[in-house]
Amino acid sequence: MKINSIKIENFRNIENLSLDFDDNVNIIYGENAQGKTNLIEAIYLFTGSKSFRGVKDSELIRFNCEYSRLNIDFVNKEREQNAEIFIDSKRNAKLNGIKKKSASMLGDELKAVIFSPVHLSMVKDGPLERRKFIDNALCQLKSGYRNVLHEYNRCLIQRNMLLKDIAKNYSLVDMLYIWDRNLAVSGAKIIYQRQKYIEALMPYAKDIFSGLSGGKEEIDLVLKGEFEYKNLNIEEIESNIVKALEKNRGEDILNRVTQTGPHRDDMEILINGKSARKFGSQGQQRSCVLALKLAEASLLKELTQDEPLALLDDVMSELDISRQDYILNHIKDWQVFITCCDANTILRLKKGKTFHIVNGGLG
């Protein structure tokens, strides 16, 4: 998969910008706050995902403008295609001139893996960012996974509303059985897919992390929840969720919130058997995220038989030359977009096309 060109109108601080890309390495350089990350963000939206910076669609529109429009020409599976995203109050998308029901459906055609400094929160912060990492990866691999997440969250909201109503009228407690079953059905599918994804990711993550650490350290990933997930099928997970919900029912009613289910799970990241969040240095934590992101790309490539885009935002400048070289060696066959302040940092490792961004435009 390759992006040939992009046109951007009224996006963030970019008023109008048209770029033709190299098939391999594209280096986007310039001073801070000039729009480098905005360009990466615009490309990432074509995977069907929301902004990796966690903002609303309306915040992507250039100040004092009514809309934003993004357009790319790309090649996928030897077919030239075009995609467009139009943002006003929400995102609307077209693929080859045909309007899609949802902008998320673009993800069926375009895959990408992104590393940004914001992703360091995957190790540093709580479980939410680690769950998002797995879920975003699965949404790119399995078109139905996003729907299962949506259904689970809908059931979770309904059950939590019922818990609040039970506090006022206890006779409603019998209705919990209905939502317990609904929550367990979709929840079991989520847990099963998360567990299988982590198991598939592990060999790649171990190999890459070992390379980054010079063979001195080993990474492990463990999906942790209310009970042990490993080696369980979907039916067994579903049954265990129902039992856990029944067991914790009294506490749920008291706290008026559902405390059991995949929305509370965590992916523990370990370095040599110890928690990377609690005991890892900043360098080790950064290496964990890089290993997971590159492993995600490698697995995506294996399962889809297509090279995902590699989007590396402000990562290389904090790595020594040997680590830069190691990372680039793992994405040498992919189309890569790298942001940095100094283009020479990357150019001495690999040739590519450069774009100097100044105040949202070419400098």
Side-chain angles (χ1 to χ4, degrees):
M1 178 170 47
K2 311 283 185 186
I3 294 182
N4 294 328
S5 63
I6 190 168
K7 294 180 180 178
I8 302 174
E9 181 182 358
N10 299 334
F11 183 81
R12 295 283 198 174
N13 75 326
I14 302 173
E15 184 176 4
N16 277 290
L17 185 62
S18 296
L19 301 175
D20 295 322
F21 295 125
D22 187 85
D23 285 348
N24 297 115
V25 178
N26 296 273
I27 301 166
I28 303 156
Y29 72 101
E31 299 297 324
N32 292 328
Q34 297 301 303
K36 303 188 302 295
T37 301
N38 296 342
L39 178 53
I40 291 286
E41 183 179 33
I43 295 171
Y44 184 69
L45 290 179
F46 283 97
T47 66
S49 300
K50 294 183 178 181
S51 167
F52 61 85
R53 295 152 106 177
V55 300
K56 298 177 181 177
D57 288 344
S58 58
E59 296 177 58
L60 301 172
I61 301 172
R62 181 177 166 85
F63 187 65
N64 282 336
C65 292
E66 296 181 356
Y67 69 89
S68 176
R69 192 193 310 273
L70 311 172
N71 192 292
I72 62 168
D73 291 318
F74 67 102
V75 178
N76 188 24
K77 298 172 184 175
E78 300 183 353
R79 180 188 174 194
E80 293 189 0
Q81 301 191 64
N82 174 270
E84 179 180 287
I85 295 175
F86 183 86
I87 308 171
D88 45 22
S89 58
K90 63 176 184 177
R91 279 182 298 155
N92 298 282
K94 290 181 181 179
L95 181 64
N96 301 320
I98 300 174
K99 187 173 182 179
K100 309 298 286 185
K101 291 182 180 179
S102 168
S104 65
M105 296 177 72
L106 291 178
D108 294 337
E109 292 292 333
L110 290 117
K111 315 290 185 185
V113 172
I114 184 162
F115 175 90
S116 169
V118 301
H119 292 121
L120 292 173
S121 60
M122 189 198 307
V123 179
K124 294 175 179 290
D125 295 347
L128 175 61
E129 293 302 319
R130 293 184 283 281
R131 290 195 300 268
K132 283 170 62 177
F133 165 72
I134 306 172
D135 291 340
N136 287 341
L138 282 167
C139 283
Q140 291 202 75
L141 285 170
K142 299 180 177 293
S143 58
Y145 187 78
R146 199 184 303 271
N147 294 332
V148 176
L149 277 178
H150 177 77
E151 175 61 18
Y152 180 82
N153 288 327
R154 185 188 70 83
C155 293
L156 182 62
I157 290 170
Q158 293 295 326
R159 190 178 191 272
N160 286 342
M161 289 175 61
L162 179 58
L163 288 170
K164 291 179 175 65
D165 291 339
I166 290 172
K168 304 172 186 175
N169 182 2
Y170 194 80
S171 64
L172 297 172
V173 71
D174 289 341
M175 294 181 64
L176 277 175
Y177 290 95
I178 299 173
W179 291 111
D180 286 0
R181 173 57 58 185
N182 292 340
L183 209 64
V185 169
S186 53
K189 294 175 183 176
I190 291 170
I191 290 170
Y192 180 81
Q193 293 296 342
R194 284 177 178 173
Q195 179 63 38
K196 289 300 179 184
Y197 181 77
I198 288 176
E199 290 173 4
L201 192 72
M202 277 296 296
Y204 293 105
K206 282 180 174 291
D207 179 62
I208 295 168
F209 190 82
S210 177
L212 286 169
S213 66
K216 298 176 182 177
E217 296 167 339
E218 183 177 11
I219 190 173
D220 279 299
L221 307 172
V222 181
L223 185 62
K224 306 195 75 173
E226 183 75 14
F227 49 90
E228 176 62 49
Y229 297 146
K230 203 169 183 180
N231 299 322
L232 297 183
N233 60 36
I234 292 179
E235 291 75 19
E236 290 168 333
I237 296 172
E238 184 180 319
S239 175
N240 279 316
I241 292 175
V242 171
K243 291 176 183 177
L245 288 169
E246 291 175 352
K247 173 187 172 184
N248 297 320
R249 180 166 293 162
E251 283 191 32
D252 285 359
I253 293 172
L254 181 64
N255 293 293
R256 305 181 187 183
V257 67
T258 303
Q259 300 178 96
T260 302
H263 65 290
R264 288 296 184 96
D265 288 353
D266 192 7
M267 179 182 72
E268 188 173 18
I269 303 171
L270 305 171
I271 301 175
N272 292 342
K274 295 182 179 180
S275 168
R277 184 175 69 86
K278 294 180 180 178
F279 303 107
S281 67
Q282 287 193 356
Q284 287 175 318
Q285 291 178 346
R286 177 174 286 268
S287 293
C288 283
V289 178
L290 282 168
L292 291 175
K293 287 292 183 176
L294 292 174
E296 177 192 355
S298 299
L299 183 57
L300 190 59
K301 181 179 178 181
E302 177 193 325
L303 296 178
T304 65
Q305 302 301 308
D306 194 13
E307 295 87 2
L309 304 174
L311 309 175
L312 305 180
D313 181 34
D314 192 26
V315 56
M316 297 299 192
S317 59
E318 297 188 23
L319 300 175
D320 58 39
I321 292 176
S322 63
R323 293 188 185 227
Q324 289 179 10
D325 190 44
Y326 181 85
I327 291 169
L328 287 171
N329 283 337
H330 276 77
I331 52 179
K332 60 185 177 183
D333 296 324
W334 306 336
Q335 188 178 32
V336 188
F337 298 84
I338 304 170
T339 70
C340 59
C341 292
D342 181 10
N344 292 324
T345 301
I346 310 302
L347 281 177
R348 69 170 176 261
L349 293 179
K350 189 170 183 177
K351 293 181 180 179
K353 203 167 184 178
T354 64
F355 304 92
H356 185 203
I357 301 299
V358 179
N359 195 25
L362 284 177

